[in-house]
Amino acid sequence: MIGDPSSQAPGFDFTRARIGIVGSGAVGCYYGGRLAQHGADVHFLMRSDLEAVRARGLEVRSCDGSFHLSNVHAHGTPEEMGSCDVIIIAIKSTANASLLMLLPSLLKPHTLLLTLQNGLGSDDFLAQHFGAHRVLGGLCFVCINRTAPGVIEHLAQGHIALGEYAGPPQDRTQQLAAWMRSAGIRVSVEQSLALARWRKLVWNIPFNGLSIAAGEIDTAQILASPPLLALVREIMREVIAAATHLGHPLPDELVEKMVESTRVMAGYHPSSLIDYREGREVELDAIWGEPVCRARAAGYAMPRVEMLHQLLRALSAAAPRRSSGR
Amino acid sequence: MIGDPSSQAPGFDFTRARIGIVGSGAVGCYYGGRLAQHGADVHFLMRSDLEAVRARGLEVRSCDGSFHLSNVHAHGTPEEMGSCDVIIIAIKSTANASLLMLLPSLLKPHTLLLTLQNGLGSDDFLAQHFGAHRVLGGLCFVCINRTAPGVIEHLAQGHIALGEYAGPPQDRTQQLAAWMRSAGIRVSVEQSLALARWRKLVWNIPFNGLSIAAGEIDTAQILASPPLLALVREIMREVIAAATHLGHPLPDELVEKMVESTRVMAGYHPSSLIDYREGREVELDAIWGEPVCRARAAGYAMPRVEMLHQLLRALSAAAPRRSSGR
C-alpha cells in the first residue's frame, strides 16, 4: 500500500494506509482520533479503555473542535489488530520493553514507526530493534488529559514537530506532515529530530522535574517562587550547553522565551507530575537519565540535571505505585 | 570575676563565672543543665518553657546519665536575668537579629560569647555587633531533643568542638574546655574554628538537606537509596572542594568516613528535618546559603549545594509555619 520506507521516491499514499495506534492514552487517542475523524483507517490497541470504547466510542473534547467517534476499531491484542502501514507509538517510554512483544505481529516490511514519545531513547530503541529506516519521531506540544475511559480532554496547543530518526526530512516526511495537516493537526517538519528533542528537553527537564521535586506544584507556582525560577533558568542553561556540546546548538535566548511562554500557560500540570501523583511510573530515563548519560559520555557534566534525576528517582521509588500503564 | 577577654593572661576563673544561656531549647538546656549540675551559676533566658521550668525544674534524660534540676534560675527577660561573664548562645541562627535586643543588657566589658549555633555566619554576626575579641564558637555533635517543656532527651554523642572566632586557641580556650570537661562534657579544642565548621557542614549540608528535599526521610532512608547515597557523596565532595578552595583544607576520605559513621546512627532525624516538620524556620542561610555565597565570592561554584538551597527555600516557603522560636 505504501512503498519501501527506505526509498525516497514520491508516491507514499498515507490516505489509504492502515494506521495502528500503540498506546491508547491521551496522546494516542487524540491524534488517532483526529486522523479517524478525517477518514483515516485507524486501529487502536487498547487495554484499560477497551470495553468503554467498544461500548461508547471515543469522546474527544477539544479546544480545536470536539468530536465523537462511535465506530472505533479498538483491539485488545496485536494479533487481533493485525499488521499496519503506519504505527503511531504513544506508550510511556518506561514501557518500551513491551514493544518487543507488541510490534512484531503488526509489522510489514514497509511499515513506518512514528514515535510520539517524550525525551531521549525511544527512537533509538525502535531503530535498534526494528530498523532505523522505518523510524520517525514526532514531538507533541499539547496539553491533554484522559479524564475517563474513552474520554480525552484537549486543553491547549496540539502542534507536532516531525522529523526523521536518521538524517534530514525525506519526501515521506513531508507527505506524512501534509496528510496529518489535512486531518487538522498542526505539524512542522524538523531538519533535525535530535535538535528538536533537546529543545523540548530545555523545558521538560526543569518544569517536569521541579513540579515533582519542589513539592507537587504546577508551572505557575514554580514561576512564582524566586529560588525555583532561578533554578529553572540555571537548569535550562545547563541543558542548552549540553545540547550544544553534543552538536545540537541551541541559543541562550531560549531560556527567557520559554519562561515567558510558560507564564501564558498559567497553572499547567506537567505530565510527569500527573504520572507521579496518580502513582504511574515517571519517565525518569527518557527525560533526565539519558540526557545526563549522553552528555557525560561526551565529557560534559550536568550536575543540576543529574541531581534532579537522583532526587526524582528517590521520590518515585518511595511513592506508592498504582499502575504501570502500557 | 574573669579577666579582659582580649588578654591572653592566665587566670580565667570559669568556676566562679555567672553563666547565661540564651536560647533555652534542647542544646541550651542540655549543656547549661550539665554545667549547673556540676555547680556552675547558670541562668537561663526562657520563653515558651519558662512556666514549666519554674514549676517543675529541668529534666534531662541522658545517655550519659540523667539528672533533674529543681532550682533553676529561669528568667523571662534579659533585664531580669542581668549581666553575665559567659553567655552561651543556642538560639536558631534564623533568629540572630533578636540578639541585638537580647544581648546588650547581659554584657559586661569582659563578657565572653560562646555560640553553639550551626553553620556559617553566627560568629561573624556576633563579632560584628559585639566585638570579635569576645567571641568563641562550639560545634555540638549531639543527638538531642526537647520532648516537652523543660524535658530534654539526650540520645547519643555530646561532644563539643571548641575554638576561637579569630585565630588559634588561647589560654582562655583551654581553660573553658577544661571547665566544661569538669562538668562531664567532652570537649576538643580546635586549631581552626572555621575548618571545624566546614567539616561539620560536609555532613549537615547533604543529610539535613536531603532529609527534607527527598520527601521527609531519615538518615537510614537516605543511605538505603542508591541515587541519594550517590548524591550525598557528590555533595560532600563539592563541600570539601569549596572548603579547600577557601583555605580550609579537608581530605576526600572524609566522605567515606562520614558515610560509615552515619550508618551507625541508624535512622537519625537531622535537626533541620525536625524544624521543617514542626513548622519552625529551617536554618537555610547558615547551612546552605552562606557556604554557597562564600564559595562564589571566592570564584568557586557549588551547583549541587546551591540547587539544594533553592529547593529547600521553595519547600520551606510553601510549608505551614507554626512558630519561629527564639
Side-chain angles (χ1 to χ4, degrees):
Chain A
M1 203 176 286
I2 62 173
D4 181 321
S6 63
S7 131
Q8 298 249 1
F12 285 85
D13 189 357
F14 286 101
T15 60
R16 295 173 59 201
R18 192 168 197 266
I19 312 297
I21 307 289
V22 173
S24 300
V27 167
C29 282
Y30 175 69
Y31 289 108
R34 275 279 174 230
L35 294 168
Q37 182 199 11
H38 288 81
D41 180 23
V42 182
H43 295 258
F44 295 85
L45 185 61
M46 294 199 153
R47 197 170 53 178
S48 56
D49 289 12
L50 183 64
E51 294 315 316
V53 170
R54 278 182 173 161
R56 297 185 297 278
L58 185 63
E59 173 81 27
V60 178
R61 298 169 193 156
S62 168
C63 55
D64 287 345
S66 299
F67 60 94
H68 180 264
L69 300 177
S70 41
N71 289 315
V72 178
H73 300 299
H75 308 281
T77 66
E79 293 70 26
E80 187 191 318
M81 181 149 105
S83 64
C84 297
D85 302 304
V86 178
I87 297 173
I88 295 177
I89 296 163
I91 62 171
K92 301 286 293 295
S93 61
T94 51
N96 275 351
S98 69
L99 295 173
L100 301 177
M101 304 290 285
L102 299 175
L103 288 191
S105 61
L106 306 180
L107 292 181
K108 296 189 240 183
H110 65 260
T111 301
L112 294 182
L113 298 176
L114 169 61
T115 164
L116 298 183
Q117 296 165 286
N118 258 330
L120 301 185
S122 291
D123 45 15
D124 303 274
F125 178 88
L126 292 171
Q128 184 192 336
H129 292 286
F130 304 105
H133 62 282
R134 57 167 102 240
V135 179
L136 297 97
L139 303 180
C140 304
F141 297 85
V142 62
C143 300
I144 205 166
N145 289 308
R146 173 187 161 285
T147 54
V151 182
I152 306 303
E153 192 100 37
H154 172 212
L155 301 165
Q157 302 189 57
H159 166 242
I160 289 180
L162 188 72
E164 289 285 334
Y165 167 65
Q170 303 177 14
D171 287 344
R172 69 178 187 188
T173 333
Q174 302 292 354
Q175 288 157 0
L176 177 59
W179 170 68
M180 294 176 83
R181 286 185 198 119
S182 73
I185 302 165
R186 288 182 296 282
V187 180
S188 64
V189 173
E190 299 294 321
Q191 288 302 305
S192 162
L193 181 62
L195 180 70
R197 287 200 183 282
W198 276 96
R199 192 194 301 120
K200 194 173 184 208
L201 286 169
V202 173
W203 194 93
N204 281 139
I205 285 175
F207 282 104
N208 286 42
L210 294 176
S211 70
I212 297 173
E216 303 186 33
I217 58 178
D218 64 28
T219 55
Q221 290 168 298
I222 292 172
L223 293 177
S225 162
L228 292 183
L229 179 54
L231 186 51
V232 162
R233 290 182 164 122
E234 287 161 12
I235 291 174
M236 283 184 168
R237 282 193 285 267
E238 194 170 285
V239 179
I240 288 170
T244 302
H245 189 86
L246 286 165
H248 311 299
L250 290 169
D252 280 335
E253 298 82 67
L254 210 48
V255 172
E256 293 315 312
K257 262 193 204 170
M258 283 188 170
V259 166
E260 286 315 307
S261 67
T262 308
R263 291 197 199 283
V264 180
M265 294 164 64
Y268 178 63
H269 291 230
S271 60
S272 300
L273 173 61
I274 296 174
D275 287 339
Y276 180 78
R277 277 190 168 159
E278 297 190 352
R280 291 193 301 261
E281 216 173 328
V282 176
E283 295 182 296
L284 296 171
D285 287 341
I287 303 181
W288 299 275
E290 275 294 315
V292 168
C293 195
R294 290 177 191 204
R296 192 194 292 120
Y300 197 85
M302 303 178 80
R304 293 172 187 82
V305 180
E306 186 177 6
M307 177 163 161
L308 192 51
H309 183 221
Q310 288 162 319
L311 282 172
L312 294 171
R313 280 175 63 197
L315 290 167
S316 294
R321 182 64 46 80
R322 280 172 232 156
S323 65
S324 61
R326 180 189 275 171
Chain B
M1 204 174 287
I2 62 175
D4 180 321
S6 63
S7 130
Q8 297 251 358
F12 285 86
D13 189 357
F14 286 101
T15 60
R16 296 174 56 202
R18 191 167 197 269
I19 313 296
I21 308 288
V22 173
S24 299
V27 167
C29 283
Y30 175 70
Y31 289 109
R34 275 278 173 231
L35 294 168
Q37 182 199 12
H38 289 82
D41 180 22
V42 182
H43 295 258
F44 295 84
L45 185 61
M46 295 200 153
R47 197 171 51 178
S48 56
D49 289 12
L50 183 64
E51 293 314 316
V53 169
R54 278 183 172 159
R56 296 185 297 276
L58 185 63
E59 173 79 29
V60 178
R61 298 171 191 154
S62 168
C63 54
D64 288 344
S66 298
F67 60 94
H68 179 263
L69 300 177
S70 40
N71 290 314
V72 178
H73 300 299
H75 308 281
T77 66
E79 293 69 27
E80 186 190 318
M81 182 150 105
S83 65
C84 298
D85 304 303
V86 178
I87 298 174
I88 296 177
I89 295 161
I91 62 169
K92 300 287 294 296
S93 61
T94 50
N96 276 351
S98 69
L99 294 174
L100 299 178
M101 305 288 287
L102 299 174
L103 289 190
S105 61
L106 306 180
L107 291 181
K108 298 189 239 183
H110 64 260
T111 301
L112 295 182
L113 298 176
L114 170 61
T115 163
L116 299 183
Q117 296 165 285
N118 259 329
L120 301 186
S122 291
D123 45 15
D124 303 276
F125 178 88
L126 292 171
Q128 183 192 337
H129 292 285
F130 305 105
H133 62 281
R134 58 167 104 238
V135 180
L136 297 98
L139 303 180
C140 304
F141 297 85
V142 62
C143 300
I144 205 166
N145 290 308
R146 172 186 162 287
T147 54
V151 182
I152 306 301
E153 191 100 35
H154 170 213
L155 300 165
Q157 303 189 55
H159 167 243
I160 289 180
L162 188 72
E164 289 285 336
Y165 168 66
Q170 302 178 16
D171 287 344
R172 70 178 187 188
T173 333
Q174 301 293 353
Q175 288 156 0
L176 177 59
W179 170 67
M180 294 177 82
R181 286 185 198 117
S182 74
I185 301 166
R186 287 181 296 284
V187 180
S188 64
V189 174
E190 300 294 322
Q191 288 303 305
S192 162
L193 181 63
L195 180 70
R197 287 201 184 281
W198 276 96
R199 193 194 300 119
K200 194 173 185 210
L201 286 170
V202 174
W203 194 94
N204 280 138
I205 285 175
F207 281 104
N208 287 41
L210 294 177
S211 70
I212 296 172
E216 302 185 36
I217 58 178
D218 64 28
T219 56
Q221 290 169 297
I222 292 172
L223 293 177
S225 161
L228 293 182
L229 178 53
L231 186 52
V232 162
R233 290 184 165 122
E234 287 161 12
I235 291 173
M236 284 183 167
R237 283 192 285 267
E238 194 170 285
V239 179
I240 288 171
T244 302
H245 189 85
L246 287 166
H248 311 298
L250 290 169
D252 281 334
E253 298 82 67
L254 209 51
V255 173
E256 293 314 311
K257 262 192 202 169
M258 284 189 171
V259 166
E260 286 315 308
S261 67
T262 308
R263 290 195 201 284
V264 180
M265 295 163 64
Y268 179 64
H269 291 229
S271 59
S272 300
L273 174 61
I274 295 173
D275 288 339
Y276 180 78
R277 277 191 170 158
E278 297 189 354
R280 290 192 302 261
E281 217 172 330
V282 175
E283 294 182 296
L284 295 172
D285 286 341
I287 303 181
W288 298 276
E290 275 295 313
V292 168
C293 195
R294 291 179 190 205
R296 191 194 292 119
Y300 197 85
M302 303 178 79
R304 291 173 188 83
V305 179
E306 186 177 6
M307 177 163 161
L308 191 52
H309 184 221
Q310 289 162 319
L311 282 173
L312 293 170
R313 280 175 64 198
L315 289 167
S316 295
R321 182 65 45 80
R322 279 170 233 158
S323 65
S324 62
R326 182 189 275 171

